[in-house]
Amino acid sequence: STRDLVFTSNISINGKQTGLGYFAHKLDAHRAWQQAKLNQARVLKDRYQLEELQFVINRLQYDISNNLVTEII
């Protein structure tokens, strides 16, 4: 039920908060954030030719692939 969805996930895009949803588990909310952050990093890298974002992309991909929590990027 909806009342069991107690965790939320948000990401800031262009200075605007975007909700990623409500989740029953903290880790699921974090996974949604990781994926959104990865997608946004890819968009920014391509749009602005920012090669330094490759580190962020690699770190997020590694954490997602290895089921790790991303602490600091």
Side-chain angles (χ1 to χ4, degrees), residues 23-54:
F23 303 87
H25 303 283
K26 185 177 180 178
L27 193 54
D28 293 336
H30 183 70
R31 297 284 176 247
W33 174 84
Q34 283 176 314
Q35 193 60 56
K37 190 79 167 177
L38 175 60
N39 293 343
Q40 187 61 14
R42 286 177 174 153
V43 167
L44 292 174
K45 178 182 177 254
D46 292 344
R47 182 179 296 158
Y48 299 109
Q49 305 294 308
L50 298 172
E51 288 303 317
E52 57 270 20
L53 281 177
Q54 190 61 50

PDB file of all heavy atoms in Angstrom, residues 23-54:
ATOM      1  N   PHE A  23       9.549   5.013  -1.979  1.00  0.00           N
ATOM      2  CA  PHE A  23      10.050   3.646  -1.921  1.00  0.00           C
ATOM      3  C   PHE A  23       9.837   3.044  -0.533  1.00  0.00           C
ATOM      4  O   PHE A  23       9.854   3.752   0.470  1.00  0.00           O
ATOM      5  CB  PHE A  23      11.542   3.626  -2.261  1.00  0.00           C
ATOM      6  CG  PHE A  23      11.834   4.229  -3.607  1.00  0.00           C
ATOM      7  CD1 PHE A  23      12.051   5.595  -3.742  1.00  0.00           C
ATOM      8  CD2 PHE A  23      11.863   3.451  -4.744  1.00  0.00           C
ATOM      9  CE1 PHE A  23      12.293   6.166  -4.984  1.00  0.00           C
ATOM     10  CE2 PHE A  23      12.109   4.008  -5.993  1.00  0.00           C
ATOM     11  CZ  PHE A  23      12.330   5.368  -6.111  1.00  0.00           C
ATOM     12  N   ALA A  24       9.678   1.742  -0.494  1.00  0.00           N
ATOM     13  CA  ALA A  24       9.487   1.032   0.770  1.00  0.00           C
ATOM     14  C   ALA A  24      10.814   0.850   1.502  1.00  0.00           C
ATOM     15  O   ALA A  24      10.842   0.728   2.716  1.00  0.00           O
ATOM     16  CB  ALA A  24       8.836  -0.323   0.527  1.00  0.00           C
ATOM     17  N   HIS A  25      11.908   0.846   0.748  1.00  0.00           N
ATOM     18  CA  HIS A  25      13.219   0.596   1.340  1.00  0.00           C
ATOM     19  C   HIS A  25      14.197   1.723   1.006  1.00  0.00           C
ATOM     20  O   HIS A  25      14.209   2.226  -0.114  1.00  0.00           O
ATOM     21  CB  HIS A  25      13.789  -0.733   0.849  1.00  0.00           C
ATOM     22  CG  HIS A  25      12.887  -1.890   1.129  1.00  0.00           C
ATOM     23  ND1 HIS A  25      12.783  -2.447   2.378  1.00  0.00           N
ATOM     24  CD2 HIS A  25      12.028  -2.559   0.327  1.00  0.00           C
ATOM     25  CE1 HIS A  25      11.900  -3.429   2.332  1.00  0.00           C
ATOM     26  NE2 HIS A  25      11.417  -3.521   1.106  1.00  0.00           N
ATOM     27  N   LYS A  26      15.004   2.064   1.968  1.00  0.00           N
ATOM     28  CA  LYS A  26      16.000   3.130   1.814  1.00  0.00           C
ATOM     29  C   LYS A  26      16.935   2.842   0.640  1.00  0.00           C
ATOM     30  O   LYS A  26      17.264   3.724  -0.151  1.00  0.00           O
ATOM     31  CB  LYS A  26      16.782   3.266   3.117  1.00  0.00           C
ATOM     32  CG  LYS A  26      17.753   4.395   3.146  1.00  0.00           C
ATOM     33  CD  LYS A  26      18.415   4.476   4.514  1.00  0.00           C
ATOM     34  CE  LYS A  26      19.408   5.604   4.578  1.00  0.00           C
ATOM     35  NZ  LYS A  26      20.012   5.722   5.912  1.00  0.00           N
ATOM     36  N   LEU A  27      17.369   1.592   0.516  1.00  0.00           N
ATOM     37  CA  LEU A  27      18.296   1.232  -0.542  1.00  0.00           C
ATOM     38  C   LEU A  27      17.660   1.386  -1.929  1.00  0.00           C
ATOM     39  O   LEU A  27      18.337   1.792  -2.880  1.00  0.00           O
ATOM     40  CB  LEU A  27      18.805  -0.195  -0.341  1.00  0.00           C
ATOM     41  CG  LEU A  27      20.008  -0.608  -1.169  1.00  0.00           C
ATOM     42  CD1 LEU A  27      21.172   0.374  -0.993  1.00  0.00           C
ATOM     43  CD2 LEU A  27      20.460  -2.004  -0.787  1.00  0.00           C
ATOM     44  N   ASP A  28      16.387   1.114  -2.054  1.00  0.00           N
ATOM     45  CA  ASP A  28      15.709   1.309  -3.342  1.00  0.00           C
ATOM     46  C   ASP A  28      15.670   2.789  -3.725  1.00  0.00           C
ATOM     47  O   ASP A  28      15.858   3.138  -4.893  1.00  0.00           O
ATOM     48  CB  ASP A  28      14.288   0.750  -3.288  1.00  0.00           C
ATOM     49  CG  ASP A  28      14.262  -0.760  -3.161  1.00  0.00           C
ATOM     50  OD1 ASP A  28      15.237  -1.420  -3.556  1.00  0.00           O
ATOM     51  OD2 ASP A  28      13.248  -1.277  -2.651  1.00  0.00           O
ATOM     52  N   ALA A  29      15.455   3.646  -2.749  1.00  0.00           N
ATOM     53  CA  ALA A  29      15.476   5.089  -3.000  1.00  0.00           C
ATOM     54  C   ALA A  29      16.870   5.525  -3.437  1.00  0.00           C
ATOM     55  O   ALA A  29      17.023   6.341  -4.350  1.00  0.00           O
ATOM     56  CB  ALA A  29      15.042   5.847  -1.747  1.00  0.00           C
ATOM     57  N   HIS A  30      17.887   4.964  -2.805  1.00  0.00           N
ATOM     58  CA  HIS A  30      19.267   5.299  -3.164  1.00  0.00           C
ATOM     59  C   HIS A  30      19.587   4.817  -4.576  1.00  0.00           C
ATOM     60  O   HIS A  30      20.232   5.526  -5.345  1.00  0.00           O
ATOM     61  CB  HIS A  30      20.253   4.696  -2.163  1.00  0.00           C
ATOM     62  CG  HIS A  30      21.669   5.059  -2.449  1.00  0.00           C
ATOM     63  ND1 HIS A  30      22.147   6.345  -2.279  1.00  0.00           N
ATOM     64  CD2 HIS A  30      22.702   4.335  -2.921  1.00  0.00           C
ATOM     65  CE1 HIS A  30      23.423   6.388  -2.627  1.00  0.00           C
ATOM     66  NE2 HIS A  30      23.787   5.175  -3.025  1.00  0.00           N
ATOM     67  N   ARG A  31      19.124   3.637  -4.933  1.00  0.00           N
ATOM     68  CA  ARG A  31      19.366   3.106  -6.283  1.00  0.00           C
ATOM     69  C   ARG A  31      18.729   4.010  -7.340  1.00  0.00           C
ATOM     70  O   ARG A  31      19.308   4.232  -8.405  1.00  0.00           O
ATOM     71  CB  ARG A  31      18.827   1.684  -6.419  1.00  0.00           C
ATOM     72  CG  ARG A  31      19.495   0.679  -5.527  1.00  0.00           C
ATOM     73  CD  ARG A  31      20.865   0.282  -6.039  1.00  0.00           C
ATOM     74  NE  ARG A  31      21.495  -0.625  -5.091  1.00  0.00           N
ATOM     75  CZ  ARG A  31      22.565  -0.342  -4.378  1.00  0.00           C
ATOM     76  NH1 ARG A  31      23.154   0.830  -4.498  1.00  0.00           N
ATOM     77  NH2 ARG A  31      23.085  -1.213  -3.543  1.00  0.00           N
ATOM     78  N   ALA A  32      17.552   4.508  -7.059  1.00  0.00           N
ATOM     79  CA  ALA A  32      16.900   5.430  -7.998  1.00  0.00           C
ATOM     80  C   ALA A  32      17.733   6.695  -8.155  1.00  0.00           C
ATOM     81  O   ALA A  32      17.897   7.213  -9.270  1.00  0.00           O
ATOM     82  CB  ALA A  32      15.495   5.772  -7.508  1.00  0.00           C
ATOM     83  N   TRP A  33      18.282   7.204  -7.037  1.00  0.00           N
ATOM     84  CA  TRP A  33      19.133   8.389  -7.087  1.00  0.00           C
ATOM     85  C   TRP A  33      20.400   8.109  -7.893  1.00  0.00           C
ATOM     86  O   TRP A  33      20.806   8.924  -8.722  1.00  0.00           O
ATOM     87  CB  TRP A  33      19.497   8.848  -5.671  1.00  0.00           C
ATOM     88  CG  TRP A  33      20.489   9.966  -5.684  1.00  0.00           C
ATOM     89  CD1 TRP A  33      20.224  11.288  -5.818  1.00  0.00           C
ATOM     90  CD2 TRP A  33      21.912   9.846  -5.608  1.00  0.00           C
ATOM     91  NE1 TRP A  33      21.393  12.009  -5.821  1.00  0.00           N
ATOM     92  CE2 TRP A  33      22.452  11.135  -5.693  1.00  0.00           C
ATOM     93  CE3 TRP A  33      22.787   8.768  -5.474  1.00  0.00           C
ATOM     94  CZ2 TRP A  33      23.821  11.372  -5.656  1.00  0.00           C
ATOM     95  CZ3 TRP A  33      24.147   9.009  -5.436  1.00  0.00           C
ATOM     96  CH2 TRP A  33      24.649  10.308  -5.520  1.00  0.00           C
ATOM     97  N   GLN A  34      21.030   6.945  -7.643  1.00  0.00           N
ATOM     98  CA  GLN A  34      22.254   6.601  -8.380  1.00  0.00           C
ATOM     99  C   GLN A  34      21.994   6.595  -9.887  1.00  0.00           C
ATOM    100  O   GLN A  34      22.783   7.144 -10.658  1.00  0.00           O
ATOM    101  CB  GLN A  34      22.773   5.220  -7.966  1.00  0.00           C
ATOM    102  CG  GLN A  34      23.486   5.185  -6.642  1.00  0.00           C
ATOM    103  CD  GLN A  34      23.880   3.769  -6.266  1.00  0.00           C
ATOM    104  OE1 GLN A  34      23.073   2.843  -6.370  1.00  0.00           O
ATOM    105  NE2 GLN A  34      25.116   3.609  -5.822  1.00  0.00           N
ATOM    106  N   GLN A  35      20.913   5.957 -10.297  1.00  0.00           N
ATOM    107  CA  GLN A  35      20.625   5.851 -11.725  1.00  0.00           C
ATOM    108  C   GLN A  35      20.328   7.217 -12.331  1.00  0.00           C
ATOM    109  O   GLN A  35      20.801   7.533 -13.425  1.00  0.00           O
ATOM    110  CB  GLN A  35      19.451   4.891 -11.961  1.00  0.00           C
ATOM    111  CG  GLN A  35      19.300   4.488 -13.405  1.00  0.00           C
ATOM    112  CD  GLN A  35      20.521   3.780 -13.956  1.00  0.00           C
ATOM    113  OE1 GLN A  35      20.965   2.775 -13.422  1.00  0.00           O
ATOM    114  NE2 GLN A  35      21.075   4.308 -15.033  1.00  0.00           N
ATOM    115  N   ALA A  36      19.576   8.048 -11.621  1.00  0.00           N
ATOM    116  CA  ALA A  36      19.272   9.391 -12.119  1.00  0.00           C
ATOM    117  C   ALA A  36      20.542  10.238 -12.199  1.00  0.00           C
ATOM    118  O   ALA A  36      20.734  10.994 -13.159  1.00  0.00           O
ATOM    119  CB  ALA A  36      18.238  10.063 -11.223  1.00  0.00           C
ATOM    120  N   LYS A  37      21.403  10.116 -11.199  1.00  0.00           N
ATOM    121  CA  LYS A  37      22.668  10.858 -11.185  1.00  0.00           C
ATOM    122  C   LYS A  37      23.549  10.410 -12.357  1.00  0.00           C
ATOM    123  O   LYS A  37      24.167  11.235 -13.030  1.00  0.00           O
ATOM    124  CB  LYS A  37      23.370  10.633  -9.849  1.00  0.00           C
ATOM    125  CG  LYS A  37      24.557  11.511  -9.613  1.00  0.00           C
ATOM    126  CD  LYS A  37      24.114  12.872  -9.196  1.00  0.00           C
ATOM    127  CE  LYS A  37      25.291  13.655  -8.658  1.00  0.00           C
ATOM    128  NZ  LYS A  37      24.894  15.014  -8.315  1.00  0.00           N
ATOM    129  N   LEU A  38      23.604   9.113 -12.597  1.00  0.00           N
ATOM    130  CA  LEU A  38      24.385   8.575 -13.712  1.00  0.00           C
ATOM    131  C   LEU A  38      23.846   9.108 -15.039  1.00  0.00           C
ATOM    132  O   LEU A  38      24.619   9.577 -15.884  1.00  0.00           O
ATOM    133  CB  LEU A  38      24.342   7.045 -13.690  1.00  0.00           C
ATOM    134  CG  LEU A  38      25.011   6.320 -14.849  1.00  0.00           C
ATOM    135  CD1 LEU A  38      26.498   6.663 -14.929  1.00  0.00           C
ATOM    136  CD2 LEU A  38      24.814   4.814 -14.704  1.00  0.00           C
ATOM    137  N   ASN A  39      22.544   9.070 -15.212  1.00  0.00           N
ATOM    138  CA  ASN A  39      21.943   9.577 -16.459  1.00  0.00           C
ATOM    139  C   ASN A  39      22.245  11.060 -16.657  1.00  0.00           C
ATOM    140  O   ASN A  39      22.585  11.493 -17.760  1.00  0.00           O
ATOM    141  CB  ASN A  39      20.433   9.345 -16.455  1.00  0.00           C
ATOM    142  CG  ASN A  39      20.073   7.873 -16.511  1.00  0.00           C
ATOM    143  OD1 ASN A  39      20.895   7.026 -16.862  1.00  0.00           O
ATOM    144  ND2 ASN A  39      18.845   7.568 -16.142  1.00  0.00           N
ATOM    145  N   GLN A  40      22.135  11.840 -15.589  1.00  0.00           N
ATOM    146  CA  GLN A  40      22.394  13.273 -15.682  1.00  0.00           C
ATOM    147  C   GLN A  40      23.862  13.553 -15.980  1.00  0.00           C
ATOM    148  O   GLN A  40      24.184  14.447 -16.769  1.00  0.00           O
ATOM    149  CB  GLN A  40      21.952  13.994 -14.399  1.00  0.00           C
ATOM    150  CG  GLN A  40      22.032  15.497 -14.488  1.00  0.00           C
ATOM    151  CD  GLN A  40      21.136  16.097 -15.571  1.00  0.00           C
ATOM    152  OE1 GLN A  40      20.247  15.453 -16.116  1.00  0.00           O
ATOM    153  NE2 GLN A  40      21.366  17.346 -15.895  1.00  0.00           N
ATOM    154  N   ALA A  41      24.761  12.799 -15.376  1.00  0.00           N
ATOM    155  CA  ALA A  41      26.197  12.977 -15.632  1.00  0.00           C
ATOM    156  C   ALA A  41      26.512  12.695 -17.101  1.00  0.00           C
ATOM    157  O   ALA A  41      27.304  13.414 -17.723  1.00  0.00           O
ATOM    158  CB  ALA A  41      27.020  12.077 -14.717  1.00  0.00           C
ATOM    159  N   ARG A  42      25.893  11.678 -17.658  1.00  0.00           N
ATOM    160  CA  ARG A  42      26.112  11.356 -19.077  1.00  0.00           C
ATOM    161  C   ARG A  42      25.610  12.476 -19.980  1.00  0.00           C
ATOM    162  O   ARG A  42      26.277  12.855 -20.947  1.00  0.00           O
ATOM    163  CB  ARG A  42      25.406  10.051 -19.426  1.00  0.00           C
ATOM    164  CG  ARG A  42      26.093   8.830 -18.872  1.00  0.00           C
ATOM    165  CD  ARG A  42      25.301   7.581 -19.194  1.00  0.00           C
ATOM    166  NE  ARG A  42      26.013   6.378 -18.789  1.00  0.00           N
ATOM    167  CZ  ARG A  42      25.411   5.244 -18.473  1.00  0.00           C
ATOM    168  NH1 ARG A  42      24.085   5.153 -18.520  1.00  0.00           N
ATOM    169  NH2 ARG A  42      26.121   4.205 -18.113  1.00  0.00           N
ATOM    170  N   VAL A  43      24.449  13.012 -19.668  1.00  0.00           N
ATOM    171  CA  VAL A  43      23.881  14.110 -20.468  1.00  0.00           C
ATOM    172  C   VAL A  43      24.808  15.323 -20.419  1.00  0.00           C
ATOM    173  O   VAL A  43      25.133  15.918 -21.451  1.00  0.00           O
ATOM    174  CB  VAL A  43      22.465  14.488 -19.970  1.00  0.00           C
ATOM    175  CG1 VAL A  43      22.000  15.813 -20.554  1.00  0.00           C
ATOM    176  CG2 VAL A  43      21.476  13.378 -20.287  1.00  0.00           C
ATOM    177  N   LEU A  44      25.239  15.706 -19.225  1.00  0.00           N
ATOM    178  CA  LEU A  44      26.097  16.887 -19.076  1.00  0.00           C
ATOM    179  C   LEU A  44      27.448  16.692 -19.749  1.00  0.00           C
ATOM    180  O   LEU A  44      27.977  17.612 -20.376  1.00  0.00           O
ATOM    181  CB  LEU A  44      26.281  17.219 -17.598  1.00  0.00           C
ATOM    182  CG  LEU A  44      25.022  17.718 -16.884  1.00  0.00           C
ATOM    183  CD1 LEU A  44      25.297  17.874 -15.393  1.00  0.00           C
ATOM    184  CD2 LEU A  44      24.527  19.010 -17.488  1.00  0.00           C
ATOM    185  N   LYS A  45      28.015  15.493 -19.629  1.00  0.00           N
ATOM    186  CA  LYS A  45      29.305  15.212 -20.259  1.00  0.00           C
ATOM    187  C   LYS A  45      29.202  15.381 -21.768  1.00  0.00           C
ATOM    188  O   LYS A  45      30.057  16.005 -22.394  1.00  0.00           O
ATOM    189  CB  LYS A  45      29.771  13.800 -19.918  1.00  0.00           C
ATOM    190  CG  LYS A  45      31.081  13.433 -20.572  1.00  0.00           C
ATOM    191  CD  LYS A  45      31.483  12.001 -20.255  1.00  0.00           C
ATOM    192  CE  LYS A  45      32.745  11.658 -20.980  1.00  0.00           C
ATOM    193  NZ  LYS A  45      32.538  10.775 -22.110  1.00  0.00           N
ATOM    194  N   ASP A  46      28.142  14.825 -22.345  1.00  0.00           N
ATOM    195  CA  ASP A  46      27.962  14.916 -23.796  1.00  0.00           C
ATOM    196  C   ASP A  46      27.620  16.332 -24.247  1.00  0.00           C
ATOM    197  O   ASP A  46      28.173  16.830 -25.216  1.00  0.00           O
ATOM    198  CB  ASP A  46      26.857  13.960 -24.261  1.00  0.00           C
ATOM    199  CG  ASP A  46      27.259  12.502 -24.101  1.00  0.00           C
ATOM    200  OD1 ASP A  46      28.462  12.216 -23.936  1.00  0.00           O
ATOM    201  OD2 ASP A  46      26.355  11.638 -24.133  1.00  0.00           O
ATOM    202  N   ARG A  47      26.728  16.991 -23.522  1.00  0.00           N
ATOM    203  CA  ARG A  47      26.269  18.322 -23.918  1.00  0.00           C
ATOM    204  C   ARG A  47      27.382  19.362 -23.860  1.00  0.00           C
ATOM    205  O   ARG A  47      27.499  20.207 -24.730  1.00  0.00           O
ATOM    206  CB  ARG A  47      25.106  18.757 -23.039  1.00  0.00           C
ATOM    207  CG  ARG A  47      24.536  20.120 -23.432  1.00  0.00           C
ATOM    208  CD  ARG A  47      23.368  20.510 -22.574  1.00  0.00           C
ATOM    209  NE  ARG A  47      22.258  19.578 -22.767  1.00  0.00           N
ATOM    210  CZ  ARG A  47      21.288  19.388 -21.889  1.00  0.00           C
ATOM    211  NH1 ARG A  47      21.264  20.049 -20.763  1.00  0.00           N
ATOM    212  NH2 ARG A  47      20.322  18.535 -22.140  1.00  0.00           N
ATOM    213  N   TYR A  48      28.187  19.304 -22.797  1.00  0.00           N
ATOM    214  CA  TYR A  48      29.187  20.343 -22.581  1.00  0.00           C
ATOM    215  C   TYR A  48      30.619  19.863 -22.768  1.00  0.00           C
ATOM    216  O   TYR A  48      31.560  20.582 -22.439  1.00  0.00           O
ATOM    217  CB  TYR A  48      29.012  20.943 -21.180  1.00  0.00           C
ATOM    218  CG  TYR A  48      27.657  21.581 -20.993  1.00  0.00           C
ATOM    219  CD1 TYR A  48      26.706  21.003 -20.170  1.00  0.00           C
ATOM    220  CD2 TYR A  48      27.323  22.752 -21.674  1.00  0.00           C
ATOM    221  CE1 TYR A  48      25.444  21.574 -20.007  1.00  0.00           C
ATOM    222  CE2 TYR A  48      26.071  23.322 -21.521  1.00  0.00           C
ATOM    223  CZ  TYR A  48      25.141  22.733 -20.683  1.00  0.00           C
ATOM    224  OH  TYR A  48      23.901  23.307 -20.536  1.00  0.00           O
ATOM    225  N   GLN A  49      30.777  18.641 -23.300  1.00  0.00           N
ATOM    226  CA  GLN A  49      32.106  18.082 -23.546  1.00  0.00           C
ATOM    227  C   GLN A  49      32.963  18.104 -22.281  1.00  0.00           C
ATOM    228  O   GLN A  49      34.129  18.489 -22.299  1.00  0.00           O
ATOM    229  CB  GLN A  49      32.810  18.857 -24.677  1.00  0.00           C
ATOM    230  CG  GLN A  49      32.019  18.924 -25.970  1.00  0.00           C
ATOM    231  CD  GLN A  49      31.864  17.561 -26.626  1.00  0.00           C
ATOM    232  OE1 GLN A  49      32.834  16.872 -26.835  1.00  0.00           O
ATOM    233  NE2 GLN A  49      30.634  17.176 -26.929  1.00  0.00           N
ATOM    234  N   LEU A  50      32.382  17.702 -21.162  1.00  0.00           N
ATOM    235  CA  LEU A  50      33.067  17.721 -19.871  1.00  0.00           C
ATOM    236  C   LEU A  50      33.657  16.347 -19.565  1.00  0.00           C
ATOM    237  O   LEU A  50      33.021  15.495 -18.955  1.00  0.00           O
ATOM    238  CB  LEU A  50      32.096  18.136 -18.751  1.00  0.00           C
ATOM    239  CG  LEU A  50      31.500  19.524 -18.860  1.00  0.00           C
ATOM    240  CD1 LEU A  50      30.430  19.734 -17.806  1.00  0.00           C
ATOM    241  CD2 LEU A  50      32.595  20.570 -18.705  1.00  0.00           C
ATOM    242  N   GLU A  51      34.878  16.131 -20.005  1.00  0.00           N
ATOM    243  CA  GLU A  51      35.536  14.840 -19.800  1.00  0.00           C
ATOM    244  C   GLU A  51      35.766  14.530 -18.329  1.00  0.00           C
ATOM    245  O   GLU A  51      35.836  13.369 -17.943  1.00  0.00           O
ATOM    246  CB  GLU A  51      36.855  14.782 -20.565  1.00  0.00           C
ATOM    247  CG  GLU A  51      36.676  14.673 -22.061  1.00  0.00           C
ATOM    248  CD  GLU A  51      35.835  13.466 -22.476  1.00  0.00           C
ATOM    249  OE1 GLU A  51      36.024  12.371 -21.921  1.00  0.00           O
ATOM    250  OE2 GLU A  51      34.972  13.640 -23.357  1.00  0.00           O
ATOM    251  N   GLU A  52      35.852  15.568 -17.486  1.00  0.00           N
ATOM    252  CA  GLU A  52      36.076  15.330 -16.060  1.00  0.00           C
ATOM    253  C   GLU A  52      34.892  14.611 -15.405  1.00  0.00           C
ATOM    254  O   GLU A  52      35.033  14.033 -14.328  1.00  0.00           O
ATOM    255  CB  GLU A  52      36.407  16.618 -15.309  1.00  0.00           C
ATOM    256  CG  GLU A  52      35.372  17.708 -15.429  1.00  0.00           C
ATOM    257  CD  GLU A  52      35.584  18.659 -16.599  1.00  0.00           C
ATOM    258  OE1 GLU A  52      36.297  18.305 -17.555  1.00  0.00           O
ATOM    259  OE2 GLU A  52      35.014  19.758 -16.566  1.00  0.00           O
ATOM    260  N   LEU A  53      33.739  14.620 -16.047  1.00  0.00           N
ATOM    261  CA  LEU A  53      32.586  13.893 -15.516  1.00  0.00           C
ATOM    262  C   LEU A  53      32.719  12.386 -15.703  1.00  0.00           C
ATOM    263  O   LEU A  53      31.964  11.620 -15.118  1.00  0.00           O
ATOM    264  CB  LEU A  53      31.293  14.375 -16.158  1.00  0.00           C
ATOM    265  CG  LEU A  53      30.741  15.678 -15.603  1.00  0.00           C
ATOM    266  CD1 LEU A  53      29.501  16.103 -16.361  1.00  0.00           C
ATOM    267  CD2 LEU A  53      30.414  15.538 -14.131  1.00  0.00           C
ATOM    268  N   GLN A  54      33.699  11.953 -16.483  1.00  0.00           N
ATOM    269  CA  GLN A  54      33.890  10.514 -16.680  1.00  0.00           C
ATOM    270  C   GLN A  54      34.193   9.818 -15.358  1.00  0.00           C
ATOM    271  O   GLN A  54      33.782   8.693 -15.130  1.00  0.00           O
ATOM    272  CB  GLN A  54      34.998  10.239 -17.704  1.00  0.00           C
ATOM    273  CG  GLN A  54      35.058   8.786 -18.118  1.00  0.00           C
ATOM    274  CD  GLN A  54      33.764   8.314 -18.782  1.00  0.00           C
ATOM    275  OE1 GLN A  54      33.254   8.949 -19.703  1.00  0.00           O
ATOM    276  NE2 GLN A  54      33.227   7.200 -18.308  1.00  0.00           N
TER     277      GLN A  54
END
